[in-house]
Amino acid sequence: MPTSPDSPWSATSSDIHDAIAEIVSTNREAALATVISVEGSGYRRPGAKMVVEPKGSVAGAVTAGCLEDSVVELSATVLDQGEPHIQTYDLTSSDDPDAWGLGLGCNGVVELLVEPIDESYQPVVDELQSGRSMTVITTLESSVSSTVAGDRAVMGENESVIPSVRGLPSHIVDAVRSSGEDFSAPETRTVQISIDGDPVRILIDRFEPAPRLLLFGGQPDAGPVVNLANSAGFDVHLHTARGGNADPGRFPSASEVTATRPSDVGDHVTRPDHTYAIVMSHNFVDDRLALESLLETEVDYIGVMGPEKRFRQLTDELPIDVDSNRIAAPVGLDLGGDEPMAIAFSIVGELLAAHNGGSGRPLSKQDGPIHPR
Amino acid sequence: MPTSPDSPWSATSSDIHDAIAEIVSTNREAALATVISVEGSGYRRPGAKMVVEPKGSVAGAVTAGCLEDSVVELSATVLDQGEPHIQTYDLTSSDDPDAWGLGLGCNGVVELLVEPIDESYQPVVDELQSGRSMTVITTLESSVSSTVAGDRAVMGENESVIPSVRGLPSHIVDAVRSSGEDFSAPETRTVQISIDGDPVRILIDRFEPAPRLLLFGGQPDAGPVVNLANSAGFDVHLHTARGGNADPGRFPSASEVTATRPSDVGDHVTRPDHTYAIVMSHNFVDDRLALESLLETEVDYIGVMGPEKRFRQLTDELPIDVDSNRIAAPVGLDLGGDEPMAIAFSIVGELLAAHNGGSGRPLSKQDGPIHPR
C-alpha cells in the first residue's frame, strides 16, 4: 500500500482509502468530507474527499485551501452529534478582494457531505482491500420515513448490495436502480428519486482501488520510478528475474518485491483493468519473455523502456500478434533529459495520463476545459 | 539548494554539483567519473557524472547499472594514485546472454574520465554557487610536454578563463578557441587539437547551475509542487503575498520562502535564462500583479494556474502586451486527474519539458530518437 503522505495535500485517493481503512479497523473517531457538487470555479471535483481526525489531523483536500479550516470545524460538530451533515458554501458573494471569493478554485458554490466514519464503511474497506471497485449510494436528504441521511448501500461489481450496518432499504435501492443511472460510471453525482411521490436525494459515489503498477525489472534505475509512482498513488508491485535483486529493502515504497521468472510475469496480473505494466529489466531475453507473458493478459497499458529499434527486435521474435494500442514503446512522455529522475518523471507522467485519460500535451496547447465536466 | 537524494539514482545534476561543492569545501577525498563518449546503446549521454567517495558512497550514475560497480573499483585506484584515468568499457562483445552486453543501455562502448575531485574544481563550485554557467575544458590525452591529462581551464560566461590550480596553459586554450568550437553549446564532447603537429585531446564539458523555479503562491497546494520540483532538480524559490504563509517550515524543500509584494515578484529574477516562473496564488488581484511583474522580466516560461477563461480575465486588464509564447496557461501537461499530487506532476512534467526541450507527448507517438544526438 502507498506510504503515508508528507502533508495532507500530498494525499492521493489511495491514501484516503488507507486512512478510512485504518480508522474503521481501529474504531477511531474521524469524519469524512466528500464533495457532493460544485458550481462555478471549483478546484476539486465531486467525489474529492478529506479525512479529519478530532485533533485536527487531516488527509486530503476538498478545495484549494478556501474551505479546509471550516471543514475541520464542521467535522468536530458532526463527530459530537454523530450525524451526517450537508453544508453548502457559497463563495461567490464576497466583496472583499482579499477573500477567497475572488480566488481561483474558490469562486463557486461547493456542497459537502460531512459524516462520521463508522462501520457502515466496512464493506467499502473490504472491497478496496480485495482490489475491487464499487459504487456507494448514500441518502443525502429524505422526506420519507424509511430512510434518513447517511443510510447507504455498497454495490459490488455485479451490482449486488453488500450487506452492511445502516443499510439502505431495498425499495430505495430499487428506486435508484430504476432511475437509469449507470452504476459503473466513475463520476460522483446526485440523483433525485421519488418514493410514493416524496423526494429522496441520493449521492452516487464510485470507489476504485489504487491503480497497480506492475514493474518488471530490478536494476537501480527502477528505484526512482517506484518512488514517484508510489507518490502519484500507484500501488507498486516489482518483479525481478534476478533473485539477488528482490530485496524489498532496495525498493521500500513498493508493496511487493518478488523474484519472478520472466515468462511468469503475466500470472501476477490479477486485475488487468487496474494494472499498468512496465518492462524495464534492461536484459533483452528477459524483457522479451516478460513482454510475451504480459501480452497474454488483458492489461491494456504495457510500457517498454528503450528505443523503438530495440522494441522491434523484441517483438520480431514473438510468436504472437502485438496490438500496438496496448503498448507504449518507448515508454514515457517526451520530457527531454537523460537523468534517472527525469526518466522516472517521464514514465510516471505517462502512467498518470494513461490512468486518467490525459494526452500528455501541454494544457495551454489544447482546446476545451482542463477537466472533463 | 536541493536536498540530498534518497539514493544515488535519484541524484540530479544539481545534487552532483552540491556533492562536488561539499567535497571541495571540506577537502574530502572523492572521485568524479564523467562520461566522455558513448557509441551504440548508452543509457546516459556524454557529460553524465557520478561522484564516488572512498567508502563506496555514490551519487549519480554513468550507465543503467552496468558499469557502476567497476567505476567504484576504478575510483579507488584513481584516488590511490592521485591521477586522472581514462577507461573505455566495450560492452558489445559478450557472448553471455545474461551479461550486460545484451542489456538495454549497456550494449555499447562507453568511455569515462575518472579523476580525483580537487581544488581545480574550486572555480566550478564558485561559478555554480553564483548561478553562472561555464565551460570546462580538460586535457584527456596529450603528446606534448606543456600539458598532461587532468589540466583544465574553466571558462566563465564571457569566455574568459578563471584562474585556477593546474590551469591549462594559455596556448592550449587558444588552440581550443581556434578550433571553432562553440563554448556555449550544451553538449559535452571531445575535440582533437594540434600543437606544432602533435595531437592533444580535450574534453569540452558544460556546467549549468540548477534551473530555478520561482513560484508565486503560498497556499497548501504549492507544497506538492515545491517537493516534486525539488526532486526533479529545480532550485525552488517561493514568494507569497501573505506574510503569514511565508513560514519556511511549510515548504522545507524550497531554498527560499519570502513574503513578497506581488508587483515586486519580477525583481527577484536574477537569472532569467535559468528561471521558470509559476503564478498560483489563487488570488485574482495578486496573480495579475505578479504576472505583470514577471512579464517585465526576460523569463521565457511563465506558467499560470487556472482555466483559460481566468487567464484571459487576468490579461485583459494588463497594460502591457502579452507574448503568449512565454506563457503556459493553463500551466501543466494534460495528465488528467484533479488531485493536488496529479496537478503537481502535471506542472513539474511541463517544467522538465520546458527546460529540456521536450514536447510532453508520449514518446511512442513521436518519430525519431528519444534523445537528440
Side-chain angles (χ1 to χ4, degrees):
Chain A
M1 283 289 119
T3 49
S4 296
D6 294 340
S7 91
W9 286 80
S10 302
T12 61
S13 55
S14 310
D15 296 317
I16 303 285
H17 296 167
D18 288 351
I20 294 172
E22 207 206 320
I23 286 158
V24 170
S25 73
T26 58
N27 218 2
R28 282 215 307 279
E29 215 181 23
L32 179 67
T34 301
V35 177
I36 298 172
S37 68
V38 175
E39 285 169 39
S41 167
Y43 179 82
R44 301 294 313 273
R45 282 174 282 181
K49 290 181 174 60
M50 176 175 164
V51 172
V52 185
E53 303 220 36
K55 284 182 180 165
S57 152
V58 166
V62 287
T63 70
C66 21
L67 285 183
E68 276 64 16
D69 289 348
S70 309
V71 174
V72 169
E73 283 174 33
L74 178 55
S75 295
T77 310
V78 164
L79 290 176
D80 273 353
Q81 300 179 346
E83 296 288 337
H85 186 87
I86 293 164
Q87 181 77 37
T88 301
Y89 295 92
D90 185 347
L91 301 161
T92 57
S93 52
S94 172
D95 290 327
D96 174 3
D98 278 343
W100 274 111
L102 275 174
L104 172 63
C106 298
N107 189 9
V109 181
V110 180
E111 190 184 21
L112 298 179
L113 167 65
V114 183
E115 58 180 339
I117 297 175
D118 61 19
E119 63 269 41
S120 72
Y121 269 99
Q122 188 67 55
V124 174
V125 170
D126 294 342
E127 292 298 287
L128 286 172
Q129 287 182 344
S130 302
R132 288 189 288 265
S133 305
M134 80 216 75
T135 302
V136 177
I137 58 180
T138 304
T139 300
L140 294 175
E141 294 160 78
S142 170
S143 54
V144 300
S145 60
S146 54
T147 183
V148 296
D151 290 347
R152 65 167 45 91
V154 178
M155 301 177 72
E157 297 202 330
N158 54 6
E159 298 198 2
S160 65
V161 172
I162 300 166
S164 67
V165 300
R166 263 196 311 117
L168 209 49
S170 58
H171 73 282
I172 305 278
V173 175
D174 290 342
V176 178
R177 283 191 212 277
S178 309
S179 71
E181 288 293 325
D182 173 8
F183 289 125
S184 66
E187 292 78 25
T188 295
R189 70 272 189 205
T190 59
V191 59
Q192 186 106 331
I193 57 169
S194 169
I195 303 293
D196 299 330
D198 292 319
V200 177
R201 188 168 174 237
I202 299 280
L203 178 68
I204 301 180
D205 195 13
R206 183 90 179 153
F207 282 73
E208 305 272 359
R212 175 173 295 191
L213 170 59
L214 187 163
L215 192 156
F216 177 67
Q219 294 307 324
D221 63 332
V225 178
V226 171
N227 291 340
L228 279 184
N230 174 256
S231 69
F234 287 82
D235 177 31
V236 183
H237 292 239
L238 188 139
H239 298 275
T240 170
R242 302 282 173 278
N245 286 338
D247 170 11
R250 295 179 62 223
F251 303 101
S253 53
S255 304
E256 182 192 354
V257 178
T258 315
T260 304
R261 280 162 42 126
S263 53
D264 294 344
V265 167
D267 299 347
H268 292 264
V269 174
T270 48
R271 296 286 309 186
D273 51 334
H274 291 111
T275 299
Y276 300 80
I278 294 180
V279 173
M280 55 179 286
S281 82
H282 292 274
N283 181 295
F284 187 86
V285 177
D286 289 349
D287 277 4
R288 194 185 58 206
L289 290 167
L291 178 58
E292 184 179 353
S293 173
L294 287 165
L295 282 167
E296 284 163 2
T297 70
E298 299 291 313
V299 169
D300 66 5
Y301 175 95
I302 306 173
V304 182
M305 184 179 268
E308 201 199 342
K309 181 182 162 193
R310 181 175 183 271
F311 174 68
R312 282 199 307 268
Q313 290 169 341
L314 282 172
T315 49
D316 275 353
E317 301 178 33
L318 285 184
I320 53 173
D321 278 347
V322 176
D323 173 2
S324 63
N325 287 326
R326 302 172 61 191
I327 290 188
V331 65
L333 302 178
D334 175 23
L335 305 185
D338 76 331
E339 294 176 355
M341 277 305 277
I343 292 169
F345 270 97
S346 150
I347 291 173
V348 175
E350 183 165 88
L351 288 173
L352 281 168
H355 183 58
N356 296 321
S359 69
R361 296 185 62 210
L363 287 163
S364 55
K365 293 182 180 163
Q366 304 209 133
D367 294 328
I370 303 175
H371 305 305
R373 299 286 176 192
Chain B
M1 284 286 120
T3 50
S4 295
D6 294 338
S7 94
W9 288 80
S10 301
T12 61
S13 55
S14 311
D15 296 317
I16 303 285
H17 296 166
D18 289 350
I20 294 172
E22 207 205 321
I23 286 159
V24 170
S25 73
T26 59
N27 217 3
R28 281 216 307 278
E29 214 180 23
L32 179 67
T34 302
V35 177
I36 297 172
S37 68
V38 175
E39 286 170 38
S41 167
Y43 179 82
R44 301 294 312 271
R45 283 175 281 180
K49 289 181 175 59
M50 175 175 163
V51 172
V52 185
E53 303 221 36
K55 285 183 180 163
S57 151
V58 165
V62 287
T63 69
C66 21
L67 286 183
E68 276 62 18
D69 289 348
S70 309
V71 174
V72 169
E73 282 174 34
L74 178 56
S75 296
T77 310
V78 163
L79 290 176
D80 273 354
Q81 300 178 345
E83 297 288 336
H85 185 87
I86 292 163
Q87 181 77 38
T88 301
Y89 295 91
D90 185 347
L91 301 161
T92 57
S93 53
S94 172
D95 290 329
D96 174 3
D98 278 344
W100 273 110
L102 276 174
L104 171 65
C106 299
N107 188 9
V109 181
V110 181
E111 191 185 19
L112 298 179
L113 167 65
V114 183
E115 59 180 338
I117 297 174
D118 62 19
E119 61 271 38
S120 72
Y121 269 99
Q122 188 67 55
V124 174
V125 170
D126 294 343
E127 292 297 289
L128 286 173
Q129 287 181 344
S130 302
R132 288 189 288 265
S133 305
M134 81 216 76
T135 302
V136 178
I137 59 181
T138 305
T139 300
L140 294 176
E141 294 160 78
S142 170
S143 55
V144 301
S145 60
S146 54
T147 184
V148 297
D151 290 349
R152 65 166 45 90
V154 178
M155 301 177 72
E157 296 202 331
N158 55 5
E159 299 199 1
S160 66
V161 173
I162 300 166
S164 66
V165 299
R166 266 196 308 117
L168 209 49
S170 59
H171 72 282
I172 306 278
V173 175
D174 290 342
V176 179
R177 284 191 211 277
S178 310
S179 69
E181 287 293 326
D182 173 7
F183 290 125
S184 65
E187 292 78 24
T188 296
R189 71 272 189 204
T190 60
V191 60
Q192 186 106 332
I193 58 168
S194 170
I195 303 295
D196 299 331
D198 292 318
V200 177
R201 188 167 175 237
I202 299 280
L203 178 69
I204 302 180
D205 196 13
R206 184 90 179 152
F207 283 73
E208 305 272 359
R212 176 173 295 190
L213 170 60
L214 187 164
L215 192 157
F216 177 67
Q219 296 305 324
D221 62 333
V225 178
V226 170
N227 291 340
L228 278 185
N230 174 257
S231 68
F234 287 81
D235 178 31
V236 183
H237 292 238
L238 188 139
H239 298 274
T240 169
R242 301 283 174 277
N245 286 338
D247 170 11
R250 294 180 60 223
F251 304 100
S253 53
S255 304
E256 183 192 353
V257 178
T258 315
T260 304
R261 279 163 42 128
S263 53
D264 294 345
V265 167
D267 299 347
H268 293 265
V269 174
T270 49
R271 297 284 311 185
D273 51 334
H274 291 112
T275 300
Y276 300 79
I278 294 181
V279 173
M280 54 180 285
S281 81
H282 293 273
N283 181 294
F284 187 86
V285 177
D286 289 350
D287 277 4
R288 194 184 58 204
L289 291 167
L291 177 59
E292 183 178 354
S293 173
L294 287 164
L295 283 166
E296 284 163 3
T297 71
E298 299 291 312
V299 169
D300 66 5
Y301 175 94
I302 306 172
V304 183
M305 185 179 268
E308 202 199 343
K309 180 181 163 196
R310 181 175 184 270
F311 173 68
R312 282 200 306 269
Q313 290 168 341
L314 283 172
T315 50
D316 275 353
E317 301 178 34
L318 286 185
I320 54 174
D321 277 347
V322 176
D323 173 2
S324 63
N325 287 325
R326 301 172 62 193
I327 289 188
V331 65
L333 302 179
D334 175 23
L335 305 185
D338 76 331
E339 294 176 355
M341 277 304 278
I343 292 167
F345 270 96
S346 150
I347 291 173
V348 175
E350 184 165 86
L351 288 174
L352 281 168
H355 183 58
N356 296 321
S359 69
R361 296 185 62 209
L363 287 163
S364 56
K365 293 183 180 162
Q366 304 209 134
D367 294 327
I370 304 175
H371 305 306
R373 300 285 178 191

